[in-house]
């Protein structure tokens, strides 16, 4: 279609430029092909947000005019504004790129963008396998592996290695499933977790992963300094040398990273070569021990290993020229070089023996190294198979001559120290943007790298135990073998191969950590989910994360100040284990939820494997260090809650949202099993509000009262009704919904909003009442404001709708709360320092009147108010006993309130009551005469013209409990509406009504000659008496709660009902009329 449209443009050009006509026609198709490619490549280049090539993307809108130009797709031309054509969609997908620039992109942008475009993407070997190998093999293998085997034994260490490698393998399986479920931009584990478990989990785990990577940098730097000061330049040692040299090295590395990442990337292969050569040198040395073991003697006094330093011969004396001469070792333990010198008691009682430090793989030493030897700090490293004569009462002297344990060792400590050596499995997924086929390379490369490293580690445990003497294995710093690196003594051709290789590899790993950690922090900051980190999203002009690098260096310095590799390793183990745990959780959640979008290309996964990996991670966390595990969880939990309350709202289609939907469905199905028990009852409110012409809520204080009643608990639905058709008023309904949401947010009302559009407001309100809620999660109470100015308004439909609502709530067995004078109610910011909430309990309504004040007093607005309960005693009631019973009832309800019984004696109906009732009825009659609609008059005309037997008596205002007069069978067959119409239009003498619309002086005369209905007189009398008593007792109350009488069954008395309620509440500032839902809502039982 684009080509067709473009061809017209070219033909137009050809018409105006006739000299180029042949050229134009020749190149039209070719030109338009390029034009189409241009349209596809442009989208998303400058969009900082997550772009999408799918429906409703801003880029697709730019192509609409060209996509549908033609007759072949005329059937779908109405969809032009919303849906792209398949050809355009596929083109966009083929060119879709939303990958943030990584370190390589920064380097290429600095140097040569053209060269970057021509550079081929990486395959599985160089893109995933080798980076994972480089990151997994590290300082622990070279500096602590032999010590772990010596302390934990071959069996114990093999168990540790197997547990840790199993954990990373299971995590890699889960990670492969997530990574192959769509495109994973650069960001690695943070991106996968945040998009799978949501921004809260993603941010918390992302920051933990960042801290782990940062502390890994500190561990690598400490390892490099240990290699430098102990094995390479031991004479350079100073006081606090680890801290001083570590800070210098950290500053140097940070400077290198700041100046340019390209130097780190260019040296990456060098560092990788150092690692591989060092490991090969160890295996070569193992093979050589089978033929010719290297000579690394160890000097043992009794069974204690000596520090081979400042002496050359492992003997007390030597024979020279027929004379016995003492050695340097003698002078270390004796006060003089003579044979009669005073020497250390243990030295004199035991022999000095020289043993072979590396007896070789064929020596059978493996049997001696199978089981562990754990030490307290300061214990002597002894060879258990040798005899020793020692006096336990004799204090240890010359302790600095022996090899001692520098820390207290135990199994869980070994786990914490070893686990960092299996981290680094995310290196391949972090480079997903550089891979040729990430969905193929990440699973294969990562699992192959873990398999390779796991085999190396497991074989190393067995080979070290089979080749090296136990006391040498337990000698952490090689003090008994002339200060050599223990693993270096096994290497071939020289120990320096391992020392130099491990030094450069640790430096390279430290540089990689200082390069990766700032970019991870920058990715989190740019996502905007943690407001406090926004500053770290900025960097240099080319995108280098300068501020993130500065923070990373500061955090790394805190690890260096610890100055102990063995203390830093468990810290970063916690953070990595937490990250891996949530990767497994993300895979398990997505698998169990079976979301339609969960379609990973990697098929060799199962939710049980993910749960097993998650369980192993959690177990290892507490095995390493239970207090570090708790601290790490508190940090992650704090970040989670911070993001939840202060972070930006993101919708990434995460699994936690799917889990919430599944949990909500399960809970709703459980609620369907039956109504809640009385003990669990709480008002689930449907709040009905009205909006003005601009869709603003007219009664905002209604939501303030909702907040005070609910305190954020239970269900709240705020609904409003609009008049018209849905198609014509859709935008108006959306504006009304936005206004409701905004007001709910302002008033801190947690709930849902609903807007219903119908042909009239009465039906719309009825639809809200019937359809709101879902399943068992439905409202059980309705909160609606008293209709204002119902007497003065020309539109009488407002109060008629209100009365119909009262009837519908009664039919639906819903409670009804009607606040009168809602504008006088307090806002959420106000506080009552004193006052009363008065409850007038006239009829039992299931306990609503008792429960509502209790709920209100939980809110800070009403907390200082005291509760008073008034009840009315008739002539036949014992008011004293009523008060005692009510006090006991409140005691069992655990409600603190003052009780008072008001006696209302029978009294004569006053002339004022008659007059007020008469005025009310006359007003009602006049309104009915004046406000008859055209349809009503037509029905009245038909009713008047039909022969109807005159009744014996016609009552103008019907009683709502008793029929006005006996009706003949003909009258009973008529509809209620027809009866009502006839009642108002027939005269008392049975004469037919006047012509249509005629209101004669005789009619007006009849109105003013009316006599009030006795039933209405009694009701008016009750309303006046109650109002008088309530004003006397509760005129100063902050709030009055009162039973709301039911609406009359006969609709002819509707306006009288409104008048009765008006009289009942006259003179009161704040009144809450309450009508129960027909069930008990409060109980005395626990």
């Amino acid at each position: 279609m684009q080509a067709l449209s473009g061809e017209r443009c070219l033909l137009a050009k050809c018409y105006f430029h006739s000299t180029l006509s042949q050229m134009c026609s020749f190149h039209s198709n070719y030109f338009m092909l390029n034009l189409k490619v241009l349209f596809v490549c442009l989208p998303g280049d400058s969009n900082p947000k997550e772009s999408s090539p799918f429906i409703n993307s801003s880029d697709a809108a730019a192509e609409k005019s060209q996509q549908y130009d033609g007759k072949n797709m005329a059937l779908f031309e109405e969809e032009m504004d919303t849906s792209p054509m398949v050809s355009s969609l596929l083109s966009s997908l083929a060119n879709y790129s939303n990958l943030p620039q990584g370190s390589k992109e920064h380097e290429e942008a600095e140097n040569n963008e053209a060269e970057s475009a021509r550079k081929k993407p990486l395959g599985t070997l160089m893109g995933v396998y080798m980076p994972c190998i480089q990151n997994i093999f590290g300082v622990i293998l070279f500096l602590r592996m032999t010590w772990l085997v010596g302390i934990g034994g071959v069996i114990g260490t093999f168990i540790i290695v197997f547990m840790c490698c199993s954990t990373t393998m299971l995590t890699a399986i889960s990670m492969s499933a997530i990574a192959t479920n769509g495109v994973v931009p650069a960001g690695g584990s943070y991106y996968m977790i945040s998009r799978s478990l949501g921004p809260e989990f993603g941010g918390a785990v992302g920051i933990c992963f960042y801290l782990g990577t940062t502390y890994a940098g500190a561990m690598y730097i400490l390892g490099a300094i240990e290699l430098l000061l102990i094995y390479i330049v031991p004479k350079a040692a100073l006081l606090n040398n680890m801290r001083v040299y570590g800070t210098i090295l950290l500053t140097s590395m940070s400077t290198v990273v700041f100046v340019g990442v390209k130097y780190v990337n260019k040296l990456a292969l060098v560092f990788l070569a150092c690692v591989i050569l060092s490991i090969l040198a160890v295996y070569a040395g193992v093979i050589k021990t089978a033929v010719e073991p290297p000579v690394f003697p160890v000097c043992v006094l009794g069974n204690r290993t000596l520090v081979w330093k400042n002496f050359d011969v492992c003997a007390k004396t030597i024979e020279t020229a027929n004379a016995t001469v003492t050695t340097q070792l003698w002078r270390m333990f004796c006060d003089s070089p003579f044979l009669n010198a005073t020497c250390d008691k243990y030295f004199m009682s035991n022999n000095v023996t020289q043993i072979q430090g590396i007896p070789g793989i064929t020596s059978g030493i493996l049997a001696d190294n199978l089981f562990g030897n754990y030490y307290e700090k300061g214990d002597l490293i002894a060879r258990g198979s040798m005899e020793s004569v020692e006096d336990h009462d004799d204090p240890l002297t010359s302790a600095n001559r022996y090899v001692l344990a520098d820390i207290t060792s135990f199994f869980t400590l070994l786990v914490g120290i070893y686990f960092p050596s299996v981290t680094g499995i995310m290196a391949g997924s972090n480079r997903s943007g550089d891979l040729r086929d990430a969905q193929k390379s990440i699973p294969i490369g990562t699992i192959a790298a873990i398999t390779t490293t796991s085999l190396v580690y497991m074989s190393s445990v067995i080979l070290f135990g089979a080749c090296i003497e136990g006391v040498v294995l337990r000698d952490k710093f090689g003090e008994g073998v002339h200060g050599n690196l223990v693993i270096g003594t096994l290497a071939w051709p020289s120990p320096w191969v391992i020392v130099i290789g491990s030094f450069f590899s640790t430096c390279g790993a430290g540089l990689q950590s200082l390069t990766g950690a700032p970019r991870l922090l920058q990715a989190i900051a740019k996502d905007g989910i943690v407001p406090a980190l926004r500053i770290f999203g900025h960097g240099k002009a080319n995108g280098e994360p300068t501020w993130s690098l500065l923070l990373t260096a500061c955090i790394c310095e805190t690890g260096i100040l610890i100055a102990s590799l063995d203390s830093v390793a468990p810290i970063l183990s916690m953070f990595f284990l937490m990250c891996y745990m949530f990767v497994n959780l993300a895979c398990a959640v997505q698998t169990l939820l079976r979301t339609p979008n969960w379609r990973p290309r990697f098929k060799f996964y199962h939710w049980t494997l993910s749960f097993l990996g998650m369980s192993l991670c959690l177990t290892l966390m507490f095995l390493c260090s239970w207090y570090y595990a708790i601290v790490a969880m508190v940090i992650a939990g704090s970040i989670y809650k911070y993001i939840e309350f202060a972070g930006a709202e993101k919708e990434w289609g995460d699994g936690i949202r799917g889990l919430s939907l599944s949990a909500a469905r399960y809970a709703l199905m459980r609620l369907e099993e039956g109504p809640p028990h009385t003990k669990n009852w709480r008002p689930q409110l449907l709040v009905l509000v009205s909006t003005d012409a601009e869709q603003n809520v007219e009664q905002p204080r209604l939501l303030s009262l909702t907040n005070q009643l609910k305190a954020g608990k239970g269900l709240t639905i705020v609904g409003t009704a609009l008049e018209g058709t849905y198609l014509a008023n859709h935008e108006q309904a959306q504006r009304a919904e936005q206004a409701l949401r905004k007001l709910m947010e302002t008033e801190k009302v947690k709930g849902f909003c609903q807007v219903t559009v119908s042909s009239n407001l009465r039906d719309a309100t009825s639809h809200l009442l019937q359809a709101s809620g879902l399943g068992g999660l439905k409202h059980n109470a309705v909160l609606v404001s008293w209709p204002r100015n119902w007497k003065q308004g020309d539109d009488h439909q407002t109060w008629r709708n209100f009365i119909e609502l009262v009837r519908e709530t009664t039919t639906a067995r819903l409670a009804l709360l009607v606040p009168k004078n809602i504008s006088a109610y307090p806002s959420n910011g106000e506080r009552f320092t004193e006052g009363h909430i008065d409850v007038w309990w006239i009829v039992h309504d299931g306990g609503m009147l008792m429960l509502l004040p209790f709920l209100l007093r939980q809110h800070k607005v009403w907390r200082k108010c005291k509760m008073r309960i008034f009840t009315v005693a008739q002539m036949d009631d014992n008011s004293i006993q009523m008060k005692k019973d009510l006090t006991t009832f409140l005691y069992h309800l655990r409600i603190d309130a003052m009780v008072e019984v008001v006696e209302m004696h029978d009294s004569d109906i006053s002339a004022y009551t008659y007059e007020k009732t008469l005025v009310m009825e006359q007003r009602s009659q006049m309104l009915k005469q004046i406000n008859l609609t055209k349809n009503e008059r037509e029905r009245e005309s038909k009713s008047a013209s039909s022969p109807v037997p005159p009744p014996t008596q016609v009552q103008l205002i019907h009683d709502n409990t008793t029929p006005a007069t006996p009706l003949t069978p003909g009258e009973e067959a008529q509809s209620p509406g027809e009866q009502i119409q006839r009642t108002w239009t027939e005269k008392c003498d049975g004469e037919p009504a006047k012509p249509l619309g005629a209101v004669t002086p005789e009619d007006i005369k009849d109105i003013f000659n009316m006599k009030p209905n006795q039933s209405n007189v009694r009701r008016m009398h009750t309303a006046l008496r109650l109002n008088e008593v309530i004003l006397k007792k509760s005129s100063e109350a902050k709030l009055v709660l009162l039973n709301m009488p039911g609406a009359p069954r006969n609709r002819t008395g509707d306006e009288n009902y409104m008048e009765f309620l008006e009289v009942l509440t006259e003179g009161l500032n704040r009144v809450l009329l309450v009508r129960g839902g027909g069930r008990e809502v409060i109980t005395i039982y626990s």
Side-chain angles (χ1 to χ4, degrees), residues 627-936:
Y627 46 89
Y628 278 166
I630 292 175
V631 170
M633 288 181 172
V634 168
I635 292 174
S638 302
I639 297 169
Y640 179 96
K641 297 305 292 184
Y642 174 74
I643 295 173
E644 186 179 28
F645 286 106
E649 294 184 3
K650 298 284 185 180
E651 177 52 59
W652 288 329
D654 52 89
I656 292 298
R657 187 172 181 84
L659 187 63
S660 301
L661 290 173
S662 297
R665 183 186 64 84
Y666 175 77
L668 286 172
M669 297 299 291
R670 289 291 302 272
L671 287 176
E672 283 286 287
E673 296 175 2
H677 192 273
T678 303
K679 291 185 289 186
N680 296 326
W681 194 95
R682 66 168 67 246
Q684 316 282 13
L685 291 180
L686 170 62
V687 185
L688 298 177
V689 298
S690 58
T691 56
D692 56 19
E694 297 180 355
Q695 309 310 320
N696 295 319
V697 178
E698 292 181 339
Q699 310 100 355
R701 287 295 170 89
L702 205 58
L703 291 187
S704 301
L705 177 62
T706 303
N707 177 272
Q708 294 156 24
L709 272 172
K710 303 291 293 180
K713 305 297 189 299
L715 173 70
T716 302
I717 302 174
V718 181
T720 187
L722 298 179
E723 189 172 2
T725 62
Y726 183 72
L727 291 177
N729 295 274
H730 177 64
E731 294 184 359
Q732 186 181 1
Q734 285 187 323
R735 289 198 302 271
E737 186 174 351
Q738 291 175 357
L740 289 181
R741 289 186 188 279
K742 185 176 181 180
L743 184 60
M744 289 173 68
E745 185 178 347
T746 302
E747 297 294 340
K748 298 181 180 178
V749 174
K750 296 181 180 179
F752 311 97
C753 60
Q754 189 169 346
V755 179
T756 301
V757 184
S758 187
S759 57
N760 58 75
L761 293 179
R762 172 83 288 279
D763 289 343
T765 306
S766 181
H767 296 160
L768 273 175
L769 199 69
Q770 297 175 59
S772 295
L774 179 63
L777 192 65
K778 293 180 69 70
H779 54 277
N780 54 26
V782 178
L783 177 63
V784 62
S785 179
W786 176 264
R788 295 179 301 171
N789 304 324
W790 66 273
K791 288 184 180 181
Q792 287 78 18
D794 295 332
D795 184 13
H796 301 286
Q797 195 61 38
T798 303
W799 58 265
R800 292 184 189 277
N801 290 346
F802 173 77
I803 297 176
E804 287 301 308
L805 178 64
V806 176
R807 291 193 176 102
E808 288 181 351
T809 55
T810 304
T811 303
R813 298 177 64 84
L814 299 173
L816 180 63
L817 313 178
V818 182
K820 195 166 181 285
N821 194 15
I822 187 64
S823 60
Y825 277 67
S827 66
N828 291 327
E830 297 180 37
R831 304 286 186 278
F832 288 132
T833 56
E834 58 182 0
H836 296 91
I837 300 176
D838 287 356
V839 177
W840 284 85
W841 192 20
I842 300 170
V843 295
H844 182 57
D845 58 352
M848 280 288 290
L849 284 172
M850 307 291 182
L851 186 62
L852 292 176
F854 170 78
L855 295 175
L856 280 174
R857 292 182 66 220
Q858 306 304 307
H859 197 274
K860 53 192 174 183
V861 173
W862 304 93
R863 191 165 294 154
K864 298 293 182 65
C865 294
K866 296 181 179 179
M867 183 175 167
R868 296 189 300 190
I869 295 182
F870 298 90
T871 189
V872 177
Q874 302 296 324
M875 285 294 296
D876 299 335
D877 296 328
N878 185 341
S879 59
I880 297 176
Q881 187 61 37
M882 281 181 65
K883 185 173 182 178
K884 289 182 180 179
D885 293 342
L886 182 54
T887 304
T888 304
F889 180 58
L890 291 176
Y891 175 77
H892 288 305
L893 287 177
R894 290 89 65 199
I895 292 177
D896 296 326
M898 294 180 286
V899 176
E900 186 171 344
V901 178
V902 178
E903 296 181 352
M904 287 186 62
H905 302 289
D906 289 340
S907 61
D908 295 333
I909 299 174
S910 64
Y912 174 71
T913 303
Y914 276 101
E915 181 184 354
K916 195 167 184 66
T917 308
L918 182 61
V919 170
M920 175 187 71
E921 293 184 349
Q922 289 173 347
R923 176 181 178 275
S924 301
Q925 178 68 0
M926 291 184 67
L927 288 175
K928 282 188 174 290
Q929 290 286 355
I930 295 171
N931 293 307
L932 284 175
T933 63
K934 182 178 180 180
N935 293 333
E936 288 174 331

Side-chain angles (χ1 to χ4, degrees), residues 939-953:
R939 288 197 300 268
E940 181 190 38
S941 176
K942 293 178 182 178
S943 176
S945 62
S946 61
V948 179
T952 56
Q953 179 184 0

Side-chain angles (χ1 to χ4, degrees), residues 49 263 332 343 411 471 505 547 633 641-642 755 913 1038 1067:
K49 300 180 180 179
Y263 302 112
M332 291 169 59
C343 298
F411 181 80
V471 291
S505 68
W547 292 106
M633 288 181 172
K641 297 305 292 184
Y642 174 74
V755 179
T913 303
K1038 301 299 182 184

